[in-house]
């Protein structure tokens, strides 16, 4: 809702939630019309795109119902909880000439576009190795039970711990990687529940993985390591290492994240050299992190988009806007169809710790 203002070509017809109290609070706060049921949403001829923001285990059923009703669908990650269900949805959308698109929208950020332009220009030569971090910090140790949305809804911490951080967060890294380097050829991953006690109320629950790490081999020749967790200090950076230099994106959740470039053999900045000298002089590593190279400037914009507060400074509606524009022009948006399924498949492989897994052919 915060970023809907960035896209005046879209009109929110109404909202529905299976929780009547939460629906009423949301509709009142944002001054939007509530629907009586999902059937009412699907029967409304003014609705062209259904935006599915339900919990992951509900995605398949809602997506299928909307597509069957002849609606285009924009779905939060993942499309479904199995590769088979995701494939079924893609086939259904194709049969009915509908666009099934998937989140996350951070793969459409200004930062991603800047990074893509640097790679296309050969700034670091041929990319060889990538490190993608999606660590959100020890959330379960925070006072998350007191967190509320702007309309007053509680943050569903217990359910997030049940689903696991990989299904919730790995897509933010995967969307960048697939958009920059193409399809994944092989996945080798492990996942684990490293902190089974997430606090009062979670002792008897079956919790999902709170850590995963996987190596992705891309058909383009790039190899990437993706780490996702809920215990390590917050780090959502991306490091791309080429044969002529390195690109570092500080935060994949920031629409205009600082981006740094360092060429191989380039003279390091005075600050970097000073820190190196000081550490050698003191004989210890200092608690300071400097990003390599020089910060790259963004093209100037006439106005800044409305974004949520830190830490999720993502234009969440941009994915829907790109989908709507593509539908109007008779085109296919990048994060739709088989590509959306591909991202779902990669994330499912990371979440389940599948080793030597080969995603379906795009």
């Amino acid at each position: 809702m915060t970023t809907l203002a960035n896209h005046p070509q879209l009109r929110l017809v109404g909202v529905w939630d299976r929780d009547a109290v939460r629906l009423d609070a949301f509709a009142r706060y944002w001054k939007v019309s509530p629907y009586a049921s999902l059937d009412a949403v699907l029967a409304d001829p003014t609705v062209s795109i259904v935006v599915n923001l339900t919990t992951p285990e509900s995605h398949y059923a809602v997506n299928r119902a909307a597509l069957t009703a002849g609606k285009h669908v924009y779905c939060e990650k993942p499309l479904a909880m199995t590769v088979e269900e995701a494939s079924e949805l893609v086939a259904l959308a194709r049969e009915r000439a509908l666009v099934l698109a998937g989140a996350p929208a951070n793969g459409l950020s200004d930062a991603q576009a800047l990074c893509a332009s640097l790679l296309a220009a050969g700034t670091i030569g041929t990319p060889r190795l990538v490190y993608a971090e999606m660590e959100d910090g020890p959330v379960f140790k925070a006072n998350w039970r007191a967190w509320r949305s702007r309309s007053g809804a509680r943050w569903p911490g217990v359910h997030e711990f049940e689903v696991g951080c990989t299904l919730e967060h790995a897509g933010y890294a995967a969307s960048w990687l697939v958009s920059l380097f193409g399809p994944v050829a092989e996945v080798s991953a492990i996942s684990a529940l490293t902190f089974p006690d997430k606090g009062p109320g979670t002792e008897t629950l079956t919790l999902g993985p709170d850590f995963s790490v996987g190596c992705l081999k891309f058909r383009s020749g790039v190899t990437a390591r993706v780490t996702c967790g809920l215990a390590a200090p917050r780090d959502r950076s991306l490091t791309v290492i080429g044969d002529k230099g390195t690109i570092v994106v500080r935060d994949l959740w920031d629409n205009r994240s600082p981006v740094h470039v360092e060429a191989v053999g380039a003279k390091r900045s005075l600050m970097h050299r000073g820190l190196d000298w000081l550490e050698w002089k003191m004989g210890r590593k200092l608690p300071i992190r400097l990003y390599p190279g020089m910060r790259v400037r963004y093209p100037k914009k006439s106005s800044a988009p409305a974004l949520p507060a830190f830490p999720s400074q993502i234009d969440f509606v941009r994915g829907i806007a790109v989908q709507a524009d593509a539908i109007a022009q008779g085109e296919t948006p990048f994060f739709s169809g088989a590509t959306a399924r591909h991202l779902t498949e990669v994330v499912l492989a990371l979440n389940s710790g599948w080793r030597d897994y080969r995603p379906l052919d795009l």
Side-chain angles (χ1 to χ4, degrees), residues 22-258:
R22 188 169 55 197
L23 172 61
D24 181 68
F26 184 94
R28 288 176 182 273
Y29 181 84
W30 292 105
K31 297 179 175 57
V32 296
S33 300
Y35 282 97
S37 65
L38 177 58
D39 288 340
V41 175
L42 303 182
D44 187 345
T46 65
V47 174
S48 56
I49 300 174
V50 170
V51 181
N52 184 2
L53 307 180
T54 62
T55 50
E57 68 275 9
S58 299
H59 286 179
Y60 167 75
V62 174
N63 288 341
R64 193 177 189 285
L67 291 170
T68 301
K71 308 296 185 183
H72 302 287
V73 173
Y74 182 87
C75 180
E76 257 301 339
K77 57 206 180 314
L79 287 182
M81 296 293 279
T82 70
V83 177
E84 293 73 20
E85 289 179 341
S87 297
E88 180 188 335
L89 294 173
V90 172
L92 179 60
R94 186 184 301 116
E95 290 168 6
R96 294 175 177 261
L98 297 168
V99 176
L100 169 64
N106 72 316
L108 299 167
S109 66
D110 293 357
Q112 191 277 348
L114 178 60
C115 189
S117 69
L118 293 171
L119 291 170
T123 305
I124 62 168
T126 301
R128 307 286 186 180
L129 181 63
V130 181
Y131 292 93
E133 315 292 348
M134 196 46 60
E135 302 282 358
D136 204 27
V139 174
F140 59 94
K141 295 183 179 180
N143 187 26
W144 55 267
R145 286 182 171 80
W147 296 351
R148 299 288 186 276
S149 73
R150 288 172 63 180
S151 64
R154 295 175 182 272
W155 183 68
V158 171
H159 185 266
E160 292 236 352
F161 300 149
E162 288 179 306
V163 171
C165 63
T166 307
L167 286 183
E168 295 286 0
H169 291 158
Y172 293 110
S175 64
W176 268 68
L177 294 174
V178 170
S179 64
L180 293 176
F181 307 114
V184 176
E186 297 179 28
V187 179
S188 184
I190 62 169
S191 62
L193 176 60
T194 58
F195 288 84
D197 182 6
K198 293 294 195 296
T202 66
E203 300 89 344
T204 61
L205 301 176
T206 301
L207 303 183
D210 55 14
F211 169 79
S212 67
V213 61
C215 286
L216 312 180
K217 290 186 178 181
F218 291 80
R219 294 184 194 172
S220 60
V222 173
T223 298
R225 186 205 69 192
V226 179
T227 306
C228 190
L230 277 183
R234 178 177 287 143
D235 183 357
R236 295 186 297 264
S237 63
L238 181 82
T239 303
V240 184
I241 304 164
D243 49 19
K244 293 183 180 179
T246 301
I247 298 173
V248 177
V249 182
R250 283 197 214 173
D251 190 351
L252 297 178
W253 280 15
D254 185 346
N255 182 59
R256 289 173 77 86
S257 168

Side-chain angles (χ1 to χ4, degrees), residues 248-301:
V248 177
V249 182
R250 283 197 214 173
D251 190 351
L252 297 178
W253 280 15
D254 185 346
N255 182 59
R256 289 173 77 86
S257 168
V259 176
H260 302 256
V261 171
E262 182 176 57
V264 171
K267 185 177 180 180
R268 307 191 79 195
S269 69
L270 180 61
M271 187 177 294
H272 279 87
R273 285 180 282 141
L275 180 62
D276 283 346
W277 178 86
L278 188 59
E279 288 182 338
W280 280 107
K281 191 77 173 175
M282 298 179 68
R284 62 187 175 89
K285 186 79 174 72
L286 298 176
I288 301 172
R289 179 178 181 181
L290 295 179
Y291 292 89
M294 301 296 292
R295 183 168 170 176
V296 183
R297 291 186 178 183
Y298 280 89
K300 288 187 177 181
K301 299 190 74 171

